[in-house]
mmCIF file with all atom_site columns, all heavy atoms in Angstrom:
data_model
loop_
_atom_site.group_PDB
_atom_site.id
_atom_site.type_symbol
_atom_site.label_atom_id
_atom_site.label_alt_id
_atom_site.label_comp_id
_atom_site.label_asym_id
_atom_site.label_entity_id
_atom_site.label_seq_id
_atom_site.pdbx_PDB_ins_code
_atom_site.Cartn_x
_atom_site.Cartn_y
_atom_site.Cartn_z
_atom_site.occupancy
_atom_site.B_iso_or_equiv
_atom_site.pdbx_formal_charge
_atom_site.auth_seq_id
_atom_site.auth_comp_id
_atom_site.auth_asym_id
_atom_site.auth_atom_id
_atom_site.pdbx_PDB_model_num
ATOM 1   N N   . HIS T 1 27 ? 16.871 9.443  -13.681 1.00 0.00 ? 27 HIS T N   1
ATOM 2   C CA  . HIS T 1 27 ? 18.137 9.301  -14.411 1.00 0.00 ? 27 HIS T CA  1
ATOM 3   C C   . HIS T 1 27 ? 18.473 10.578 -15.181 1.00 0.00 ? 27 HIS T C   1
ATOM 4   O O   . HIS T 1 27 ? 19.637 10.987 -15.225 1.00 0.00 ? 27 HIS T O   1
ATOM 5   C CB  . HIS T 1 27 ? 18.068 8.105  -15.361 1.00 0.00 ? 27 HIS T CB  1
ATOM 6   C CG  . HIS T 1 27 ? 18.191 6.796  -14.660 1.00 0.00 ? 27 HIS T CG  1
ATOM 7   N ND1 . HIS T 1 27 ? 18.269 5.603  -15.332 1.00 0.00 ? 27 HIS T ND1 1
ATOM 8   C CD2 . HIS T 1 27 ? 18.239 6.459  -13.348 1.00 0.00 ? 27 HIS T CD2 1
ATOM 9   C CE1 . HIS T 1 27 ? 18.372 4.598  -14.478 1.00 0.00 ? 27 HIS T CE1 1
ATOM 10  N NE2 . HIS T 1 27 ? 18.349 5.108  -13.256 1.00 0.00 ? 27 HIS T NE2 1
ATOM 11  N N   . SER T 1 28 ? 17.457 11.213 -15.775 1.00 0.00 ? 28 SER T N   1
ATOM 12  C CA  . SER T 1 28 ? 17.720 12.448 -16.524 1.00 0.00 ? 28 SER T CA  1
ATOM 13  C C   . SER T 1 28 ? 18.129 13.584 -15.586 1.00 0.00 ? 28 SER T C   1
ATOM 14  O O   . SER T 1 28 ? 18.728 14.565 -16.026 1.00 0.00 ? 28 SER T O   1
ATOM 15  C CB  . SER T 1 28 ? 16.490 12.854 -17.347 1.00 0.00 ? 28 SER T CB  1
ATOM 16  O OG  . SER T 1 28 ? 15.462 13.321 -16.511 1.00 0.00 ? 28 SER T OG  1
ATOM 17  N N   . MET T 1 29 ? 17.817 13.451 -14.306 1.00 0.00 ? 29 MET T N   1
ATOM 18  C CA  . MET T 1 29 ? 18.213 14.451 -13.309 1.00 0.00 ? 29 MET T CA  1
ATOM 19  C C   . MET T 1 29 ? 19.528 14.067 -12.633 1.00 0.00 ? 29 MET T C   1
ATOM 20  O O   . MET T 1 29 ? 19.869 14.588 -11.582 1.00 0.00 ? 29 MET T O   1
ATOM 21  C CB  . MET T 1 29 ? 17.111 14.595 -12.258 1.00 0.00 ? 29 MET T CB  1
ATOM 22  C CG  . MET T 1 29 ? 15.800 15.107 -12.826 1.00 0.00 ? 29 MET T CG  1
ATOM 23  S SD  . MET T 1 29 ? 14.448 14.989 -11.640 1.00 0.00 ? 29 MET T SD  1
ATOM 24  C CE  . MET T 1 29 ? 14.971 16.172 -10.415 1.00 0.00 ? 29 MET T CE  1
ATOM 25  N N   . GLU T 1 30 ? 20.238 13.100 -13.236 1.00 0.00 ? 30 GLU T N   1
ATOM 26  C CA  . GLU T 1 30 ? 21.545 12.643 -12.764 1.00 0.00 ? 30 GLU T CA  1
ATOM 27  C C   . GLU T 1 30 ? 21.494 11.754 -11.521 1.00 0.00 ? 30 GLU T C   1
ATOM 28  O O   . GLU T 1 30 ? 22.501 11.540 -10.861 1.00 0.00 ? 30 GLU T O   1
ATOM 29  C CB  . GLU T 1 30 ? 22.502 13.832 -12.514 1.00 0.00 ? 30 GLU T CB  1
ATOM 30  C CG  . GLU T 1 30 ? 22.691 14.750 -13.719 1.00 0.00 ? 30 GLU T CG  1
ATOM 31  C CD  . GLU T 1 30 ? 23.235 14.034 -14.954 1.00 0.00 ? 30 GLU T CD  1
ATOM 32  O OE1 . GLU T 1 30 ? 24.081 13.129 -14.819 1.00 0.00 ? 30 GLU T OE1 1
ATOM 33  O OE2 . GLU T 1 30 ? 22.788 14.388 -16.063 1.00 0.00 ? 30 GLU T OE2 1
ATOM 34  N N   . PHE T 1 31 ? 20.326 11.200 -11.194 1.00 0.00 ? 31 PHE T N   1
ATOM 35  C CA  . PHE T 1 31 ? 20.217 10.216 -10.117 1.00 0.00 ? 31 PHE T CA  1
ATOM 36  C C   . PHE T 1 31 ? 20.305 8.820  -10.724 1.00 0.00 ? 31 PHE T C   1
ATOM 37  O O   . PHE T 1 31 ? 19.384 8.011  -10.626 1.00 0.00 ? 31 PHE T O   1
ATOM 38  C CB  . PHE T 1 31 ? 18.903 10.392 -9.341  1.00 0.00 ? 31 PHE T CB  1
ATOM 39  C CG  . PHE T 1 31 ? 18.800 11.690 -8.604  1.00 0.00 ? 31 PHE T CG  1
ATOM 40  C CD1 . PHE T 1 31 ? 17.958 12.687 -9.066  1.00 0.00 ? 31 PHE T CD1 1
ATOM 41  C CD2 . PHE T 1 31 ? 19.546 11.922 -7.463  1.00 0.00 ? 31 PHE T CD2 1
ATOM 42  C CE1 . PHE T 1 31 ? 17.845 13.895 -8.395  1.00 0.00 ? 31 PHE T CE1 1
ATOM 43  C CE2 . PHE T 1 31 ? 19.447 13.130 -6.780  1.00 0.00 ? 31 PHE T CE2 1
ATOM 44  C CZ  . PHE T 1 31 ? 18.600 14.114 -7.243  1.00 0.00 ? 31 PHE T CZ  1
ATOM 45  N N   . THR T 1 32 ? 21.430 8.552  -11.363 1.00 0.00 ? 32 THR T N   1
ATOM 46  C CA  . THR T 1 32 ? 21.602 7.324  -12.127 1.00 0.00 ? 32 THR T CA  1
ATOM 47  C C   . THR T 1 32 ? 21.780 6.087  -11.247 1.00 0.00 ? 32 THR T C   1
ATOM 48  O O   . THR T 1 32 ? 21.739 4.970  -11.757 1.00 0.00 ? 32 THR T O   1
ATOM 49  C CB  . THR T 1 32 ? 22.808 7.460  -13.071 1.00 0.00 ? 32 THR T CB  1
ATOM 50  O OG1 . THR T 1 32 ? 23.953 7.816  -12.296 1.00 0.00 ? 32 THR T OG1 1
ATOM 51  C CG2 . THR T 1 32 ? 22.550 8.524  -14.130 1.00 0.00 ? 32 THR T CG2 1
ATOM 52  N N   . GLU T 1 33 ? 21.970 6.273  -9.955  1.00 0.00 ? 33 GLU T N   1
ATOM 53  C CA  . GLU T 1 33 ? 22.123 5.121  -9.063  1.00 0.00 ? 33 GLU T CA  1
ATOM 54  C C   . GLU T 1 33 ? 20.796 4.397  -8.799  1.00 0.00 ? 33 GLU T C   1
ATOM 55  O O   . GLU T 1 33 ? 20.784 3.280  -8.303  1.00 0.00 ? 33 GLU T O   1
ATOM 56  C CB  . GLU T 1 33 ? 22.762 5.539  -7.726  1.00 0.00 ? 33 GLU T CB  1
ATOM 57  C CG  . GLU T 1 33 ? 21.948 6.509  -6.901  1.00 0.00 ? 33 GLU T CG  1
ATOM 58  C CD  . GLU T 1 33 ? 22.148 7.983  -7.263  1.00 0.00 ? 33 GLU T CD  1
ATOM 59  O OE1 . GLU T 1 33 ? 22.802 8.296  -8.272  1.00 0.00 ? 33 GLU T OE1 1
ATOM 60  O OE2 . GLU T 1 33 ? 21.646 8.824  -6.517  1.00 0.00 ? 33 GLU T OE2 1
ATOM 61  N N   . VAL T 1 34 ? 19.670 5.017  -9.162  1.00 0.00 ? 34 VAL T N   1
ATOM 62  C CA  . VAL T 1 34 ? 18.363 4.387  -8.970  1.00 0.00 ? 34 VAL T CA  1
ATOM 63  C C   . VAL T 1 34 ? 18.220 3.255  -9.981  1.00 0.00 ? 34 VAL T C   1
ATOM 64  O O   . VAL T 1 34 ? 18.280 3.470  -11.181 1.00 0.00 ? 34 VAL T O   1
ATOM 65  C CB  . VAL T 1 34 ? 17.217 5.415  -9.130  1.00 0.00 ? 34 VAL T CB  1
ATOM 66  C CG1 . VAL T 1 34 ? 15.864 4.715  -9.043  1.00 0.00 ? 34 VAL T CG1 1
ATOM 67  C CG2 . VAL T 1 34 ? 17.332 6.518  -8.097  1.00 0.00 ? 34 VAL T CG2 1
ATOM 68  N N   . GLU T 1 35 ? 18.028 2.046  -9.477  1.00 0.00 ? 35 GLU T N   1
ATOM 69  C CA  . GLU T 1 35 ? 17.939 0.874  -10.346 1.00 0.00 ? 35 GLU T CA  1
ATOM 70  C C   . GLU T 1 35 ? 16.506 0.515  -10.720 1.00 0.00 ? 35 GLU T C   1
ATOM 71  O O   . GLU T 1 35 ? 16.252 -0.007 -11.787 1.00 0.00 ? 35 GLU T O   1
ATOM 72  C CB  . GLU T 1 35 ? 18.613 -0.317 -9.676  1.00 0.00 ? 35 GLU T CB  1
ATOM 73  C CG  . GLU T 1 35 ? 20.111 -0.121 -9.521  1.00 0.00 ? 35 GLU T CG  1
ATOM 74  C CD  . GLU T 1 35 ? 20.778 -1.289 -8.834  1.00 0.00 ? 35 GLU T CD  1
ATOM 75  O OE1 . GLU T 1 35 ? 20.088 -2.267 -8.469  1.00 0.00 ? 35 GLU T OE1 1
ATOM 76  O OE2 . GLU T 1 35 ? 21.993 -1.218 -8.658  1.00 0.00 ? 35 GLU T OE2 1
ATOM 77  N N   . GLU T 1 36 ? 15.559 0.770  -9.807  1.00 0.00 ? 36 GLU T N   1
ATOM 78  C CA  . GLU T 1 36 ? 14.170 0.420  -10.088 1.00 0.00 ? 36 GLU T CA  1
ATOM 79  C C   . GLU T 1 36 ? 13.256 1.306  -9.249  1.00 0.00 ? 36 GLU T C   1
ATOM 80  O O   . GLU T 1 36 ? 13.593 1.681  -8.138  1.00 0.00 ? 36 GLU T O   1
ATOM 81  C CB  . GLU T 1 36 ? 13.903 -1.046 -9.740  1.00 0.00 ? 36 GLU T CB  1
ATOM 82  C CG  . GLU T 1 36 ? 12.513 -1.507 -10.097 1.00 0.00 ? 36 GLU T CG  1
ATOM 83  C CD  . GLU T 1 36 ? 12.281 -2.988 -9.786  1.00 0.00 ? 36 GLU T CD  1
ATOM 84  O OE1 . GLU T 1 36 ? 13.158 -3.657 -9.247  1.00 0.00 ? 36 GLU T OE1 1
ATOM 85  O OE2 . GLU T 1 36 ? 11.172 -3.442 -10.101 1.00 0.00 ? 36 GLU T OE2 1
ATOM 86  N N   . VAL T 1 37 ? 12.093 1.619  -9.800  1.00 0.00 ? 37 VAL T N   1
ATOM 87  C CA  . VAL T 1 37 ? 11.061 2.362  -9.082  1.00 0.00 ? 37 VAL T CA  1
ATOM 88  C C   . VAL T 1 37 ? 9.756  1.600  -9.240  1.00 0.00 ? 37 VAL T C   1
ATOM 89  O O   . VAL T 1 37 ? 9.385  1.215  -10.351 1.00 0.00 ? 37 VAL T O   1
ATOM 90  C CB  . VAL T 1 37 ? 10.892 3.806  -9.632  1.00 0.00 ? 37 VAL T CB  1
ATOM 91  C CG1 . VAL T 1 37 ? 9.748  4.510  -8.933  1.00 0.00 ? 37 VAL T CG1 1
ATOM 92  C CG2 . VAL T 1 37 ? 12.181 4.595  -9.495  1.00 0.00 ? 37 VAL T CG2 1
ATOM 93  N N   . ARG T 1 38 ? 9.085  1.366  -8.130  1.00 0.00 ? 38 ARG T N   1
ATOM 94  C CA  . ARG T 1 38 ? 7.762  0.745  -8.133  1.00 0.00 ? 38 ARG T CA  1
ATOM 95  C C   . ARG T 1 38 ? 6.813  1.732  -7.468  1.00 0.00 ? 38 ARG T C   1
ATOM 96  O O   . ARG T 1 38 ? 7.075  2.222  -6.383  1.00 0.00 ? 38 ARG T O   1
ATOM 97  C CB  . ARG T 1 38 ? 7.745  -0.568 -7.360  1.00 0.00 ? 38 ARG T CB  1
ATOM 98  C CG  . ARG T 1 38 ? 8.751  -1.614 -7.845  1.00 0.00 ? 38 ARG T CG  1
ATOM 99  C CD  . ARG T 1 38 ? 8.391  -2.277 -9.124  1.00 0.00 ? 38 ARG T CD  1
ATOM 100 N NE  . ARG T 1 38 ? 7.233  -3.152 -8.986  1.00 0.00 ? 38 ARG T NE  1
ATOM 101 C CZ  . ARG T 1 38 ? 6.687  -3.783 -9.997  1.00 0.00 ? 38 ARG T CZ  1
ATOM 102 N NH1 . ARG T 1 38 ? 7.159  -3.664 -11.206 1.00 0.00 ? 38 ARG T NH1 1
ATOM 103 N NH2 . ARG T 1 38 ? 5.626  -4.550 -9.813  1.00 0.00 ? 38 ARG T NH2 1
ATOM 104 N N   . ILE T 1 39 ? 5.727  2.037  -8.112  1.00 0.00 ? 39 ILE T N   1
ATOM 105 C CA  . ILE T 1 39 ? 4.745  2.988  -7.600  1.00 0.00 ? 39 ILE T CA  1
ATOM 106 C C   . ILE T 1 39 ? 3.647  2.208  -6.871  1.00 0.00 ? 39 ILE T C   1
ATOM 107 O O   . ILE T 1 39 ? 3.212  1.158  -7.326  1.00 0.00 ? 39 ILE T O   1
ATOM 108 C CB  . ILE T 1 39 ? 4.123  3.818  -8.744  1.00 0.00 ? 39 ILE T CB  1
ATOM 109 C CG1 . ILE T 1 39 ? 5.210  4.572  -9.518  1.00 0.00 ? 39 ILE T CG1 1
ATOM 110 C CG2 . ILE T 1 39 ? 3.065  4.767  -8.210  1.00 0.00 ? 39 ILE T CG2 1
ATOM 111 C CD1 . ILE T 1 39 ? 5.948  5.623  -8.730  1.00 0.00 ? 39 ILE T CD1 1
ATOM 112 N N   . GLY T 1 40 ? 3.213  2.746  -5.748  1.00 0.00 ? 40 GLY T N   1
ATOM 113 C CA  . GLY T 1 40 ? 2.163  2.085  -4.979  1.00 0.00 ? 40 GLY T CA  1
ATOM 114 C C   . GLY T 1 40 ? 1.183  3.090  -4.411  1.00 0.00 ? 40 GLY T C   1
ATOM 115 O O   . GLY T 1 40 ? 1.215  4.275  -4.743  1.00 0.00 ? 40 GLY T O   1
ATOM 116 N N   . LYS T 1 41 ? 0.310  2.599  -3.547  1.00 0.00 ? 41 LYS T N   1
ATOM 117 C CA  . LYS T 1 41 ? -0.692 3.440  -2.899  1.00 0.00 ? 41 LYS T CA  1
ATOM 118 C C   . LYS T 1 41 ? -0.569 3.260  -1.388  1.00 0.00 ? 41 LYS T C   1
ATOM 119 O O   . LYS T 1 41 ? -0.212 2.189  -0.910  1.00 0.00 ? 41 LYS T O   1
ATOM 120 C CB  . LYS T 1 41 ? -2.106 3.035  -3.320  1.00 0.00 ? 41 LYS T CB  1
ATOM 121 C CG  . LYS T 1 41 ? -2.386 3.182  -4.796  1.00 0.00 ? 41 LYS T CG  1
ATOM 122 C CD  . LYS T 1 41 ? -3.797 2.763  -5.121  1.00 0.00 ? 41 LYS T CD  1
ATOM 123 C CE  . LYS T 1 41 ? -3.813 1.289  -5.464  1.00 0.00 ? 41 LYS T CE  1
ATOM 124 N NZ  . LYS T 1 41 ? -5.096 0.802  -5.966  1.00 0.00 ? 41 LYS T NZ  1
ATOM 125 N N   . TYR T 1 42 ? -0.914 4.318  -0.660  1.00 0.00 ? 42 TYR T N   1
ATOM 126 C CA  . TYR T 1 42 ? -0.928 4.281  0.794   1.00 0.00 ? 42 TYR T CA  1
ATOM 127 C C   . TYR T 1 42 ? -2.250 4.850  1.271   1.00 0.00 ? 42 TYR T C   1
ATOM 128 O O   . TYR T 1 42 ? -2.703 5.879  0.776   1.00 0.00 ? 42 TYR T O   1
ATOM 129 C CB  . TYR T 1 42 ? 0.235  5.117  1.343   1.00 0.00 ? 42 TYR T CB  1
ATOM 130 C CG  . TYR T 1 42 ? 0.179  5.333  2.830   1.00 0.00 ? 42 TYR T CG  1
ATOM 131 C CD1 . TYR T 1 42 ? 0.522  4.318  3.705   1.00 0.00 ? 42 TYR T CD1 1
ATOM 132 C CD2 . TYR T 1 42 ? -0.236 6.549  3.353   1.00 0.00 ? 42 TYR T CD2 1
ATOM 133 C CE1 . TYR T 1 42 ? 0.465  4.516  5.072   1.00 0.00 ? 42 TYR T CE1 1
ATOM 134 C CE2 . TYR T 1 42 ? -0.299 6.757  4.720   1.00 0.00 ? 42 TYR T CE2 1
ATOM 135 C CZ  . TYR T 1 42 ? 0.063  5.733  5.574   1.00 0.00 ? 42 TYR T CZ  1
ATOM 136 O OH  . TYR T 1 42 ? -0.005 5.931  6.924   1.00 0.00 ? 42 TYR T OH  1
#
Side-chain angles (χ1 to χ4, degrees):
H27 284 186
S28 71
M29 297 170 67
E30 305 301 323
F31 295 107
T32 55
E33 63 275 9
V34 175
E35 294 179 0
E36 184 178 3
V37 176
R38 303 286 291 176
I39 302 295
K41 298 180 269 188
Y42 170 76

